[in-house]
Amino acid sequence: MSRRVRHEVAGADQAPVTTALRARTRLRLSMTDVFVLAALGGLFAKLQGADLALRAAAGPDHDKDIWAERKRSLTKESSSRWAGRVTKKSNDAYATAMRNQRRALADKQKAIAVISEKLARPVHSQAQRKSLAQKEAGRAKAEGRKPRTLVFGYRSEEEHYQKRRRLQVLVAEAERLEADVRSGRVHVVLGGKRLAKNRLHLGQASKTVPDWRAAWAAKRWSFGANGEAGKSLGNETIRVWLDGTVEIDLPPALAHLANATAHGRTCYRLDAKAVFAYRANEWEEQARAGRAIAYDICFSPKGRVYLDASFTPAGAPDVPSFAKLLGGPGLKVLSADLNHGFLAPAVLDRSGNPLHRLPDIPLLTEDLPAAQRDGHLRQAITDLLDMAVAYGCRLVVVENLGFDEMRATGREKYGSRKWSRKVVCGIPTRQFRDRLVAMASRRGIAVASTPAAYSSIWGAQHWQGPMSTKHQKASRHTAAAVVLGRRALGHSARRRSQASPGRAVPGQRTEEAEAPEGAVSAAGAESCHVSGAGRTGTRKSTQGKPSRREGNLYRRHLAKGMECETRERRNGTAPMYPAKTVRAGPGDRSLSLSS
């Protein structure tokens, strides 16, 4: 079957190693601590809002001189360290807003192009489309060719009219965004625009006024201090001693709240202790060595207060490079296909042959709060990395897919498929890749991304049938994971075509089928072709009795394999399902698949 390639399918990129760590602990505050931290949060919210307005007013003309002037004005009301943190946070907020506006403008332009193209075509109802498709099929059959793909416009005059109205709205929004990007104007609200709009629609947001005020204060009052390398405990503004004592430098406006003074500084020492139950050893080592540690004090709408410590350990994790991994003959790769509700993993050797049949990893994130989604995502990635360690895989391969096209033009192309669009847009592709890179780096596992085009189609065509057994059928997603792993290894998705049984082919090798981890393979057990391995389809295409035309040599191979299998079962070393071998792609070795 010929394959029409319209998207890039080759190449793999290794993700950069992430070494930053973050630990969180809850502070059990006294009433005095709550009063002081609330005063600090209100003061820094006021300073942050004023500085953010100055940064937004400067626009694209902002330079180092304007930044220095902003910092000097803030230093008078706080300190140079507090001022540096506030100005950096404003700059980051402005840069993020500009990136979001450019991305929104690009999405609007894509949607405008799709609607304009469909509006230029005539309106055809469902019956008319079916009639035209039948006529094209008849002409193709008479001419001896494949039917051409017919492209239609909208289904009714009403839909055509509504899309014309939507086109006008999109054009107006694109013009506004383009003017904002050109002038450098951003729309930023300290605390979030969504939460600010909820104040006018408390009933729709299911909030009361006290609840909204608590959420608004928690969003705006959070503050922190940047780390400083070479300083005592890694921070001179918010100091956390090894015994858990937390000390905060107070700005001049709140100097009357100080309960501790040292070297001319006015500080407030919390009654609560900071005890890190997670990554405590790494944090203590960082503090003892005087390396930089950034602290953030975060407020919760429920009245809780947390202390976050962020730092970069001195010893970077030993993550091998992609080129070094590909040079090793004993490389094992764990590839994963991200789907709605689960991950489909597959383990491959250096030749691109799947070795083990693995269960799917659940990943349920639909209609869940952000905290629960994050927890489920972390658990799924943890299970995936545990699986990589168990099977000795130093490389994890994922698809480089973000559904950007679906998010931008899905409503215009697939307007009636609301459930499908919701499912596709709800898959956490970006969060999954970012979190996977961060968690894999700490285990010394490399992560590579590869194009996802045609992985499901070619996986079902070349791998789903051969990987299936009589008792268990391989899913289309597992076959797609095999294709992703083969692309990262530099192989094509297609397997080597099967030779006639009993005939030797140049470059064809017969090797011992690999047993699962911990099992002892029988000496002299040879692998053989599976009947129908060159075809795909149902379970029957890869199972069944050998054909009479397959020759005596094939029967001897099959009888020898059954004898070895019987001996393994008697010794208790046989796998749950019989191992089978099919041919891999050009230049590859035989495929050994164990259940």
Side-chain angles (χ1 to χ4, degrees):
M1 180 184 296
S2 62
R3 299 180 294 182
R4 295 185 298 174
V5 179
R6 301 178 182 176
H7 305 279
E8 183 66 27
V9 297
D13 300 323
Q14 183 177 3
V17 179
T18 303
T19 58
L21 300 179
R22 190 179 185 94
R24 164 171 285 197
T25 182
R26 181 182 175 184
L27 298 176
R28 307 287 179 170
L29 303 177
S30 63
M31 295 302 296
T32 307
D33 292 344
V34 172
F35 177 77
V36 174
L37 291 183
L40 281 168
L43 175 63
F44 285 118
K46 176 182 176 182
L47 298 178
Q48 189 72 64
D51 183 71
L52 182 59
L54 292 176
R55 176 61 189 92
D61 299 331
H62 185 268
D63 54 11
K64 293 183 178 180
D65 296 335
I66 300 178
W67 189 357
E69 181 60 31
R70 289 165 45 212
K71 188 173 180 180
R72 280 193 294 267
S73 63
L74 287 172
T75 302
K76 299 176 182 178
E77 302 185 47
S78 55
S79 67
S80 60
R81 293 187 176 94
W82 288 120
R85 171 63 181 239
V86 171
T87 54
K88 184 180 183 302
K89 189 175 179 180
S90 299
N91 293 342
D92 293 343
Y94 180 87
T96 302
M98 284 300 298
R99 287 195 301 269
N100 292 340
Q101 288 188 164
R102 293 192 182 96
R103 189 182 300 113
L105 176 60
D107 292 346
K108 292 290 188 299
Q109 291 173 348
K110 291 179 182 178
I112 289 172
V114 171
I115 292 183
S116 301
E117 183 181 358
K118 296 194 72 173
L119 286 175
R121 305 190 191 114
V123 176
H124 291 95
S125 63
Q126 187 65 25
Q128 293 173 338
R129 295 184 181 203
K130 185 176 182 180
S131 176
L132 292 174
Q134 292 176 351
K135 291 180 180 178
E136 172 59 25
R139 287 194 298 265
K141 184 176 181 180
E143 299 174 4
R145 57 175 176 82
K146 292 183 178 181
R148 298 186 179 93
T149 302
L150 302 181
V151 182
F152 301 100
Y154 292 105
R155 299 176 183 270
S156 64
E157 293 292 343
E158 174 65 20
E159 187 179 8
H160 194 275
Y161 167 71
Q162 295 295 341
K163 289 300 180 180
R164 289 201 307 269
R165 294 183 59 187
R166 174 160 173 76
L167 179 62
Q168 296 176 358
V169 174
L170 290 175
V171 169
E173 292 180 355
E175 292 176 352
R176 178 182 59 82
L177 286 172
E178 188 175 3
D180 290 342
V181 171
R182 188 167 49 250
S183 62
R185 182 185 179 188
V186 297
H187 305 270
V188 184
V189 177
L190 185 62
K193 287 188 289 186
R194 177 178 298 180
L195 187 57
K197 292 179 180 179
N198 286 345
R199 181 62 181 88
L200 305 176
H201 309 280
L202 295 176
Q204 298 179 4
S206 302
K207 290 182 178 293
T208 61
V209 175
D211 294 340
W212 180 88
R213 290 190 181 277
W216 183 250
K219 285 286 187 180
R220 294 170 60 91
W221 285 4
S222 300
F223 63 94
N226 296 329
E228 299 173 274
K231 299 294 184 179
S232 176
L233 301 176
N235 200 308
E236 288 288 331
T237 306
I238 300 178
R239 289 175 297 278
V240 181
W241 305 88
L242 298 179
D243 61 352
T245 302
V246 182
E247 197 175 78
I248 305 175
D249 280 356
L250 295 177
L254 302 178
H256 60 281
L257 300 177
N259 61 359
T261 57
H263 305 289
R265 295 178 302 186
T266 54
C267 308
Y268 179 79
R269 186 170 296 171
L270 298 180
D271 298 332
K273 298 290 184 179
V275 179
F276 291 99
Y278 179 57
R279 293 175 182 158
N281 296 331
E282 292 91 337
W283 168 80
E284 184 176 351
E285 181 182 356
Q286 191 84 357
R288 288 183 183 277
R291 293 190 290 266
I293 304 177
Y295 291 107
D296 292 278
I297 295 180
C298 306
F299 293 82
S300 169
K302 298 181 179 180
R304 300 176 180 178
V305 179
Y306 299 93
L307 177 68
D308 293 351
S310 306
F311 53 91
T312 301
D318 183 18
V319 179
S321 64
F322 190 47
K324 182 179 179 180
L325 288 171
L326 293 181
L331 172 65
K332 289 185 179 180
V333 176
L334 177 64
S335 60
D337 181 41
L338 177 61
N339 302 281
H340 174 61
F342 65 95
L343 293 170
V347 176
L348 285 74
D349 61 7
R350 179 62 184 86
S351 300
N353 303 319
L355 301 177
H356 305 278
R357 181 176 293 108
L358 305 177
D360 294 337
I361 300 175
L363 177 57
L364 303 176
T365 58
E366 187 178 8
D367 299 332
L368 293 178
Q372 295 185 20
R373 289 199 308 268
D374 185 73
H376 286 208
L377 186 62
R378 285 177 179 271
Q379 183 60 45
I381 294 175
T382 301
D383 295 341
L384 184 67
L385 295 178
D386 290 343
M387 190 177 293
V389 173
Y391 289 97
C393 301
R394 298 296 304 277
L395 177 65
V396 175
V397 178
V398 295
E399 53 188 346
N400 186 14
L401 183 63
F403 298 109
D404 297 333
E405 195 70 22
M406 173 63 78
R407 289 183 169 91
T409 62
R411 178 177 177 180
E412 321 309 332
K413 290 183 178 180
Y414 317 102
S416 59
R417 306 178 187 177
K418 293 184 178 180
W419 182 86
S420 177
R421 289 190 287 119
K422 177 184 177 182
V423 167
V424 171
C425 296
I427 298 178
T429 53
R430 178 65 61 84
Q431 294 88 341
F432 171 74
R433 286 198 300 269
D434 295 344
R435 193 61 55 80
L436 174 63
V437 171
M439 297 176 66
S441 299
R442 292 191 286 273
R443 298 198 185 196
I445 300 176
V447 178
S449 61
T450 186
Y454 313 105
S455 59
S456 298
I457 299 175
W458 293 347
Q461 179 181 350
H462 299 295
W463 293 99
Q464 187 177 8
M467 291 177 64
S468 300
T469 65
K470 181 179 180 180
H471 303 279
Q472 183 177 2
K473 182 177 180 181
S475 68
R476 184 187 184 100
H477 309 288
T478 303
V482 173
V483 173
L484 294 175
R486 291 177 60 84
R487 286 178 182 171
L489 293 171
H491 305 306
S492 62
R494 182 178 298 179
R495 297 180 297 108
R496 181 185 301 174
S497 58
Q498 178 185 357
S500 299
R503 297 184 58 185
V505 178
Q508 187 178 26
R509 300 175 58 186
T510 302
E511 63 180 15
E512 182 179 354
E514 181 177 337
E517 298 291 336
V520 180
S521 59
E526 296 180 351
S527 61
C528 56
H529 291 293
V530 177
S531 176
R535 304 189 300 270
T536 59
T538 61
R539 218 177 284 172
K540 295 182 179 180
S541 62
T542 59
Q543 301 292 329
K545 298 181 179 180
S547 174
R548 293 183 178 181
R549 295 177 296 176
E550 291 176 340
N552 294 331
L553 180 61
Y554 178 77
R555 293 185 180 181
R556 287 198 298 268
H557 276 295
L558 183 59
K560 190 173 183 179
M562 294 176 63
E563 180 183 356
C564 295
E565 179 186 345
T566 304
R567 184 166 58 250
E568 287 182 356
R569 289 185 177 178
R570 189 183 304 116
N571 298 335
T573 60
M576 183 179 300
Y577 299 112
K580 64 179 182 179
T581 303
V582 295
R583 283 292 156 191
D588 295 349
R589 302 163 57 195
S590 297
L591 164 65
S592 301
L593 178 64
S594 300
S595 299

